[in-house]
Amino acid sequence: MKLKYELIKNDQSARLGKLKTNYGVYETPMFMPVGTLANVKTLTPEELYEMNSAIILANTYHLWLRPGEDIVAKAGGLHKFMNYNGPILTDSGGFQVFSLARKKDIIEEGVFFKSHIDGKKLFLTPELSIQIQNKLDSDIAMSFDECIPYPASYEYAKESTERTIRWAKRGKDVHNNSNQALFGIIQGGEYEDLRKYSALETVKIDFDGYAIGGTSVGEDKQTMYKMIDYAIKYLPNDKPRYLMGVGEPIDLLEGVARGIDMFDCVLPTRLARHGNAFTRNGRINLKNLKYKEDFNPIENNCDCYTCKNYTKSYIRHLITCDEMLGGRLLSIHNIRFLIKEMEEIREAIKNGNFKEFKEQFISKYKNGD
């Protein structure tokens, strides 16, 4: 079956909902861990289930290059290939356009860029992106788009936004996996009229859900929140809304406050590999000397495997010695931290006190009180 969304309750603009998927029903808002190469770095599916993870992400561009979509299809699709018994979303490769391609290499037909592995010249089109995702057999496929850099001139943003809409139509025309939902992506840069135009035109194409893209690309926080505000009011109430590439604890709250249902980001695992951990009192760096003799868990009231079993002193030792277990343990904690934050957000919406929860969380996270 295709994914279905049901809105359960509003608390002002914050939404409590249910996503019905091929792998069960999951509540939103939710945070989705990123598994670029068909794994969430260093973690097993069993560890993700233990953290109460739902949807995870895999990367179309990277899997196209290695091992190739045909290998994944022969294995029985992504779920069997990576042994993940839960929903998977694949991005379109659009972010790689943003990070690897030059402006002159983006043309109406698609995008030329060089492989980050061997420098081989590649050409990705909206049709090819969807065809690869059809073969990967994810539960949610994303339309191929161009992620507009920040800052960008109005003229460039307008031209790019219009092209992304044309690409969305082309991708939908070739999408042929009946078990796979297809989401459209809203672009428009920092410009209110372009965000509105992109939202209205993309909704006309009629996707199974809608993502707000082109945020968290170097802009300040207030600009990012405006980008969400400019688009979200034009998105339908009965479809899921996904803010791409955002995973700071405060940004999750600000997104939910504006009506976002789904978030993803590499941040929890990337920070973990550099010795950083989320806590209720803000982010900490375990490499700091003050943790050398700290025999407490990262957080006393955290229910993750790491906090139940290991101390800051031991994790600091692993990190400073470049032991892989250090990054693994911090990844477990950081992902569970964001998933637990979303569980508490859902509970606050259920109880009608999301605004108070948000204010208290942010105050403690920023000020430690």
Side-chain angles (χ1 to χ4, degrees):
M1 71 165 207
K2 277 198 180 184
L3 170 142
K4 288 192 175 76
Y5 175 80
E6 181 186 355
L7 178 61
I8 305 296
K9 183 179 179 180
N10 278 101
D11 184 354
Q12 297 180 333
S13 294
R15 290 154 44 104
L16 179 73
K18 285 185 178 175
L19 275 181
K20 296 174 183 175
T21 76
N22 294 311
Y23 290 85
V25 179
Y26 301 90
E27 285 191 330
T28 60
M30 67 162 64
F31 176 77
M32 306 182 290
V34 175
T36 300
L37 287 156
N39 84 297
V40 179
K41 282 195 189 302
T42 76
L43 304 181
T44 65
E46 289 72 24
E47 287 166 328
L48 292 167
Y49 306 147
E50 197 176 319
M51 294 175 216
N52 212 17
S53 175
I55 300 174
I56 62 171
L57 263 72
N59 184 288
T60 296
Y61 161 77
H62 286 283
L63 294 174
W64 175 41
L65 298 191
R66 293 184 301 192
E69 68 276 20
D70 291 329
I71 297 289
V72 175
K74 279 181 187 170
L78 261 181
H79 297 87
K80 286 190 176 171
F81 185 58
M82 65 184 289
N83 191 33
Y84 187 69
N85 192 29
I88 299 173
L89 182 152
T90 43
D91 65 9
S92 66
F95 189 76
Q96 279 65 45
V97 171
F98 168 73
S99 59
L100 295 173
R102 297 168 298 184
K103 285 182 183 177
K104 69 181 183 66
D105 295 327
I106 303 169
I107 60 173
E108 187 63 29
E109 290 72 30
V111 185
F112 291 100
F113 51 102
K114 288 180 180 176
S115 163
H116 71 289
I117 300 166
D118 58 10
K120 181 180 170 188
K121 198 169 188 183
L122 302 167
F123 187 58
L124 190 56
T125 67
E127 291 84 359
L128 181 56
S129 171
I130 297 298
Q131 287 159 355
I132 293 166
Q133 292 181 79
N134 284 169
K135 286 187 176 179
L136 294 175
D137 199 27
S138 54
D139 301 275
I140 302 171
M142 299 302 298
S143 296
F144 188 61
D145 66 327
E146 185 198 349
C147 181
I148 298 169
Y150 179 88
S153 70
Y154 182 86
E155 292 71 25
Y156 183 88
K158 183 173 187 290
E159 184 184 323
S160 173
T161 299
E162 290 171 342
R163 184 170 52 233
T164 283
I165 292 164
R166 293 192 293 271
W167 283 358
K169 289 175 183 166
R170 284 167 53 188
K172 191 181 178 198
D173 285 346
V174 300
H175 183 259
N176 68 355
N177 185 330
S178 59
N179 287 319
Q180 185 181 62
L182 180 62
F183 281 24
I185 302 177
I186 313 304
Q187 288 290 347
E190 64 188 288
Y191 302 103
E192 184 170 8
D193 62 325
L194 295 182
R195 286 280 172 183
K196 176 182 178 181
Y197 171 74
S198 179
L200 291 172
E201 292 301 311
T202 306
V203 168
K204 278 184 198 170
I205 303 170
D206 189 23
F207 288 99
D208 300 303
Y210 298 92
I212 296 176
T215 69
S216 220
V217 292
E219 78 280 7
D220 61 272
K221 296 295 186 187
Q222 291 312 309
T223 299
M224 180 172 85
Y225 302 151
K226 281 181 193 169
M227 289 173 172
I228 303 168
D229 290 333
Y230 292 159
I232 202 157
K233 58 185 118 174
Y234 304 107
L235 301 183
N237 271 320
D238 61 347
K239 301 276 180 80
R241 302 160 171 181
Y242 163 29
L243 182 61
M244 303 180 78
V246 171
E248 282 278 2
I250 291 175
D251 293 342
L252 299 183
L253 285 158
E254 294 290 355
V256 169
R258 288 163 168 79
I260 297 291
D261 307 304
M262 301 159 67
F263 302 84
D264 83 283
C265 196
V266 297
L267 195 63
T269 47
R270 180 175 288 165
L271 286 176
R273 293 195 299 278
H274 293 93
N276 292 279
F278 292 128
T279 80
R280 291 306 168 109
N281 296 311
R283 198 191 293 179
I284 62 171
N285 186 344
L286 272 291
K287 291 179 183 176
N288 196 309
L289 189 63
K290 69 180 178 179
Y291 300 115
K292 189 170 186 176
E293 295 184 35
D294 188 335
F295 302 110
N296 296 298
I298 297 166
E299 286 204 289
N300 287 314
N301 59 351
C302 179
D303 61 4
C304 81
Y305 168 80
T306 301
C307 287
K308 284 194 231 170
N309 293 284
Y310 299 99
T311 66
K312 284 181 269 204
S313 174
Y314 178 63
I315 296 167
R316 181 185 185 277
H317 159 68
L318 295 174
I319 292 290
T320 55
C321 294
D322 288 327
E323 284 290 336
M324 285 196 302
L325 181 59
R328 260 175 55 67
L329 293 176
L330 285 176
S331 292
I332 288 169
H333 170 77
N334 285 346
I335 291 174
R336 177 58 191 152
F337 181 94
L338 295 183
I339 290 173
K340 186 141 196 293
E341 179 186 349
M342 302 312 281
E343 290 169 356
E344 292 175 2
I345 285 170
R346 295 196 295 266
E347 196 60 31
I349 298 171
K350 279 177 194 170
N351 296 332
N353 65 347
F354 171 72
K355 186 170 182 284
E356 293 82 354
F357 173 83
K358 173 178 176 256
E359 287 169 358
Q360 288 168 10
F361 187 105
I362 291 174
S363 174
K364 190 170 185 185
Y365 192 82
K366 282 185 171 177
N367 307 312
D369 57 35

